[in-house]
Every structure is written in C-alpha cells, then in structure tokens.
Amino acid sequence: MSFCVAIDGPAGAGKSTVAKAVAAEMNFIYVDTGAMYRAMALFFLRKGIAADDEEAVAAACPEADISIAYENGAQQVILNGENVSGLIRTEEVGGMASATSVYRTVREKLVELQQALAKRTDVVMDGRDIATVVLPGADVKIYLTASTAVRAKRRRNELAEKGVTRPLEEIEQDIIERDYRDMHRENSPLTRVGDAVLIDSSEMTLREVVDAIETLIRKKRGE
Ligand code: DC
C-alpha cells in the first residue's frame, strides 16, 4: 500500500513549496494537481473556448491528453505530447484554470489520473479536493492556509522576481475572488475535512511548516 499525504488549501498558501520540500525529504513523489487543471486551461485557451461555455469545454475534454513525467524530481505536465510546464504559470492560465475547474467533466478526467498515480507510489499531493474527493483515505491530511494579506504579499514578491509589478490591493482582490470561486463551486469545493490538520502559515517559516508535516507523517508511520 502506498502512503499518501493530502495537502489542500487556498491559492498562495504555500502548498506547492511545502509539498515539494516534504516529498524531497521523505522520498515521496510530489503531485501538483493544480498544474493539471492549468494544462487543461491552456488547452481550452488555445482552442479559443470561453470559460463560461460548459458545453464546449465538455466536448473538448476528450481531445486533451494530460500526463505527468519527472525531470530531476520536478513534475512536468505533458499536454498532447508537449511539455507545457513553462507555459502554465501565467495569471491568464491560472484564472482560466479556476474558471474551468468548476466543470464536472474536467474534474472527473483529472481525478481519475490523480488516483491512478497515488495507487502506484507514495505521494504528497496538493490541490483543493485531495482529502475530500481524490484521496479520502489519505494517511495524512493537511489544510494549509494563510491570511489573504500574507498570501497577497507572497504573490507580489513572486511576481516581482519575474519582473512584474502589480499593486498589492489588486493582487489581494484577485485572491479573494479566486478563494470565493474555489470554495463556493458546486463540484468539489475547497473545504477542510474534519480529520485534516489545520496549519496557518501566516506567521510560520517554510521550515516550521515542513517540520510540522513531517512529524505527522512519522507519527502515522509509527516512527
Ligand atoms: O493551485 P493552482 O493555483 O495551480 O490551481 C489552479 C486552479 O485549479 C485553482 O484556482 C483551482 C483549480 N484546482 C482545483 O480545482 N482542484 C485541484 N485539485 C487543484 C486546482
């Protein structure tokens, strides 16, 4: 049986940084499910499909073949044979991913792929519905969050590193809207399950968050 760690939480809480570090230190595979929704979103954008056109999204779904591969331990997302990992981190793709991940057809396709991955190997998987839908039997469940102000600041710094300047208020407003959509959609909204451990990273360092999760993993394994 593979060992599964589920990390859910809102955008910008630090899920991927934390999940990557835990996976590397514990020798697990890191599965970034957001990247899969982003690859699907890129596919829809390229086809010129509007985010609110559910019928067109559903009709196009079977044409998108998504898979993942690992290069030096880093997850690569492959869309119809093309490595699109470098193309999916834009605001445009993120917004489209949030908008099209509300559709059942999109979710069913990706959940199936995610479950198949977790069956084969020990994983740290992050997303919005990992503990609720993808891996309800996960050995360790984490709900990682941070205040909107802290998440907006982190996002601003990330953008600044890429040479993009955006007003903090605008970034925070985007985060609030994204949270609302991810938490209030009909299909698999982001919520914290009762047995998920709540970690608020607002006042914590990366090291502290990683240590907290690794302690939970070791405890569960009886180490
Ligand atoms: O984590 P991220 O920002 O890369 O995710 C992009 C969008 O994909 C996010 O707004 C919601 C959606 N998503 C989802 O619905 N379920 C997941 N398991 C992961 C992401």
Side-chain angles (χ1 to χ4, degrees), residues 6-192:
I7 304 182
D8 292 298
K15 297 188 300 294
S16 63
T17 313
V18 165
K20 254 183 231 164
V22 172
E25 291 177 9
M26 304 296 292
N27 240 332
F28 287 19
I29 290 282
Y30 166 52
V31 182
D32 172 0
T33 63
M36 298 176 186
Y37 288 93
R38 285 170 182 266
M40 285 296 282
L42 177 66
F43 177 75
F44 300 137
L45 283 170
R46 282 176 169 177
K47 283 188 80 85
I49 293 173
D52 61 359
D53 191 347
E54 181 170 3
E55 234 173 83
V57 167
C61 263
E63 296 167 33
D65 180 44
I66 310 272
S67 60
I68 65 169
Y70 288 86
E71 254 174 41
N72 302 322
Q75 176 183 295
Q76 309 292 315
V77 192
I78 317 296
L79 167 65
N80 293 333
E82 176 191 358
N83 185 342
V84 294
S85 310
L87 306 172
I88 57 174
R89 296 290 154 202
T90 64
E91 300 286 293
E92 187 193 16
V93 173
M96 186 68 171
S98 176
T100 53
S101 61
V102 303
Y103 302 130
R104 200 171 46 83
T105 27
V106 174
R107 305 205 68 83
E108 278 175 358
K109 183 187 178 87
L110 297 182
V111 167
E112 201 177 303
L113 174 62
Q114 292 152 12
Q115 288 174 334
L117 283 165
K119 227 180 226 163
R120 294 201 299 262
T121 40
D122 295 343
V123 293
V124 180
M125 192 176 283
D126 78 354
R128 306 293 189 289
D129 60 339
I130 310 306
T132 51
V133 177
V134 183
L135 307 174
D139 302 278
V140 173
K141 298 173 188 169
I142 309 290
Y143 190 87
L144 183 64
T145 188
S147 68
T148 50
V150 166
R151 289 188 281 137
K153 275 196 198 126
R154 288 180 186 160
R155 185 74 195 127
R156 182 190 55 187
N157 297 345
E158 258 173 41
L159 287 172
E161 272 173 29
K162 290 187 203 160
V164 182
T165 8
R166 265 189 86 197
L168 193 61
E169 307 76 61
E170 214 180 283
I171 298 176
E172 190 167 354
Q173 197 48 43
D174 264 11
I175 286 180
I176 291 167
E177 279 165 26
R178 171 91 64 101
D179 282 358
Y180 187 86
R181 197 158 47 202
D182 292 350
M183 291 174 185
H184 292 86
R185 65 187 181 204
E186 191 186 330
N187 295 310
S188 315
L190 168 65
T191 64
R192 180 189 159 208

